[in-house]
Amino acid sequence: MMTSNPYQQIGMVAEVQGPVIVVRCTQLPPLRQALMAQLNGDPYYFEVHQHLDDDHVRAIILHRSAGLQRGTAVYDTGAPLRIPVSEQCLGRVVDVFGAPLDNIPPFESRQFRNIHGQPIPLSESITTDEILPAGIKVIDLLCPFVRGGKTGLFGGAGVGKTMLIMEFMHAVAHLHQGLSVFGGVGERIREGHELWHEMANANVLPHAVLAYGEMDESPGVRFRIALTALTYAEYLRDTLHKEVLFVVDNVYRFVQAGSEISSLLGRMPATVGYQPTLASEVAEVEERINSTPSGAITSVQAVYVPADDMTDPAVSEILGHLDTKVILSRALASQGLYPAVDPLASGSRLMDPYVLGDRHYQIAQGVREHLSRYKELENIISMLGIEELSEIDQGIVKRARKLQRYLTQPFYVTEEHSGIQGISVPLADTLDDCEAFLRGDYDDIPESHCYMQGSMKNIGR
């Protein structure tokens, strides 16, 4: 409960329109300034988005609007929204203000950071061509993550984006001894609760910060929670100088929140009803994800694809900022082939023989060629049967089906539900196994022996 108010009153609420208010001001605060009102002794924060005239501003409420009314006094905090930062943030679950959501007293902090921080100067930013191994066969082989880069996991509802993200957070904590910052943008409370317990049980939570703007929060919270999480990632990069994994689930909900706010502010919709400021809003987040010589931020972002349409303007805009795209396929998920990564549509800027080396590149291309040829022949097989194919094509199809099943993998985060122990496979083992498949070394084993396995070295022929 707030007992005293150190801020100066600058006006009062003139209108309340859902999550938007109009404030009549004695002096206009700058855009993005944080304003505050008190309701039953508790602080209510707003963010200025528009100057309407000489005396009125329009602001977004960062709380539920119930209880606000005309005439409520509004105070100027004197700064944009700031959050407390400290090394004690590790292991905590916080909201958009940095306040605890885990029923533990707030962590001590003498330092605050503006969530609208500037990107680091171009001269201080670095890029790398180094792979960040995930221990996930299909990703390490065909669409490797870039250390210090940005990766997007694209897919419709229910194809496994959140599971893949949780598995990668597990890998970073155990394989790389790094820190994780999770931004739950419009996250279901069930998923947030499961992730919290999953990370606590795996002893990963002490190396992570979880920032949540839940699905039932105001659009202002869902719009700004990604910046709160990113601010914590920047703080850990700049102070602890460690590998920081910045995870966002889901970037599309950030776009949706921006669209809601844009409509409430009276802007004319653009393509397919999205806000006209879509490109700049996405870039504001993406361009702050940078690495310096002293610390790296590697970002993995789940992106919901509406109606499985990869040409959607929001999806296309996000895609343009990424180094690696991992596209999840509903067709593969329906066949039980998890992770349901589409090996032909997914890709990475590291897929280059000068970066990966000739051996990795040639093996990856060979796997893609087999899977591509199998996809071309699927209609013929379904109509006429595999016996109508040439002997060479029959061999390619059989190897492709085994490769398809080999690229499935049990996850650590699904052990409790599937009953199958999770497996992490080193890249060297994946390359050896795929090379053996392409040579025909496993032509005599049944497909079932390839499904949900780790390395083939542990399987008798």
Side-chain angles (χ1 to χ4, degrees), residues 200-258:
N201 294 337
N203 202 30
V204 175
L205 194 57
H207 308 287
V209 183
L210 278 63
Y212 280 103
E214 295 149 28
M215 192 174 276
D216 63 337
E217 296 278 7
S218 73
V221 170
R222 287 180 276 121
F223 190 53
R224 292 308 186 205
I225 189 64
L227 294 183
T228 295
L230 181 53
T231 302
Y232 279 113
E234 290 173 333
Y235 170 76
L236 295 174
R237 175 197 67 194
D238 298 338
T239 56
L240 301 186
H241 309 301
K242 294 192 74 172
E243 184 91 44
V244 180
L245 173 66
F246 175 55
V247 178
V248 186
D249 187 7
N250 187 301
V251 180
Y252 186 77
R253 295 197 195 109
F254 162 77
V255 172
Q256 282 182 313

Side-chain angles (χ1 to χ4, degrees), residues 398 401-403 405-406 437 442-451 453 456 459-461:
K398 289 175 181 177
R401 287 178 59 86
K402 288 174 184 176
L403 280 166
R405 281 147 183 78
Y406 169 74
F437 274 112
Y442 296 112
D443 285 355
D444 57 337
I445 69 169
E447 293 176 3
S448 58
H449 286 199
C450 307
Y451 180 69
Q453 302 291 340
M456 295 298 289
I459 300 173
R461 299 194 189 176

Side-chain angles (χ1 to χ4, degrees), residues 1 38 47 123 126 135 226 261 267 298 314 339 363 405 424 432:
M1 300 286 287
Q38 284 185 302
E47 187 176 72
S123 58
I126 62 169
I261 288 173
R267 298 186 187 126
T298 301
I363 292 171
R405 281 147 183 78
S424 177
D432 290 344

